[in-house]
Amino acid sequence: MKKRNVTHENQFNGMPVLQYTKQEIGLDTNILQCIDDRMEDILSRHSKVFAMRFDVRKPDSIEDEKNEWFSQYQAHFIKKEKRAGYDPAYVAVREVSENGKVHYHEYLMVNGNKTENIYKHIENANSVMNTMQGLNPGEHSGLIDDCTHDRNGNPQVNGEMINPKTWEGQCAQQASFRHASYLAKDVQKDTPKGTRELFASQIKK
């Protein structure tokens, strides 16, 4: 099992994070730092940043422990987002559920002056997945989860408009980072040796 630096605190670098004290689950500080770095980077370029989460499930028909299909999917998705002028930044992690299903949690941050909700980005994600799966445009593969419902099917908010210059925007930044910290939980990450677990956009210099 991979050695991790884990925190059980309720904050990281001054930002609130999820706590799973009763379940004795910690958060991987390397993943938290990766999120923090990319949030800081994109906020240096845009006055407003829209941030959201979504999940990607590996198709059952694909046998791939090296994440090649996900890397291909992600490259096409990010290219689509860039062409639309969203200037995306992201962090994604590979996990394996109790039933052995591989899935990926992704945290996406984009130029908030160009968008204000999740729908176009989920549409882009579905479009790329449909192309890779040979499905018709507009079909639902069931492999993209927009995270607008919790495990019990109850509606939940997904997407925050971050603006460090306003009180509401600062609160949104804290709420978004807390939401993103879900990616850092140190369970369901028993990846095979040599298999990549963490994916992230490059920091622009």
Side-chain angles (χ1 to χ4, degrees), residues 147-148 155-160 179:
C147 296
T148 56
Q156 65 180 7
V157 175
N158 183 17
E160 299 281 356
H179 196 195

Side-chain angles (χ1 to χ4, degrees), residues 129-149:
M129 185 62 74
N130 284 358
T131 299
M132 292 181 65
Q133 293 296 298
L135 301 176
N136 295 322
E139 285 191 56
H140 291 282
S141 65
L143 300 174
I144 303 296
D145 183 350
D146 62 11
C147 296
T148 56
H149 292 81

Side-chain angles (χ1 to χ4, degrees), residues 28-41:
D28 187 319
T29 58
N30 179 54
I31 297 175
L32 292 175
Q33 188 63 58
C34 187
I35 295 168
D36 194 32
D37 289 343
R38 277 139 192 87
M39 180 180 282
E40 181 180 351
D41 178 56

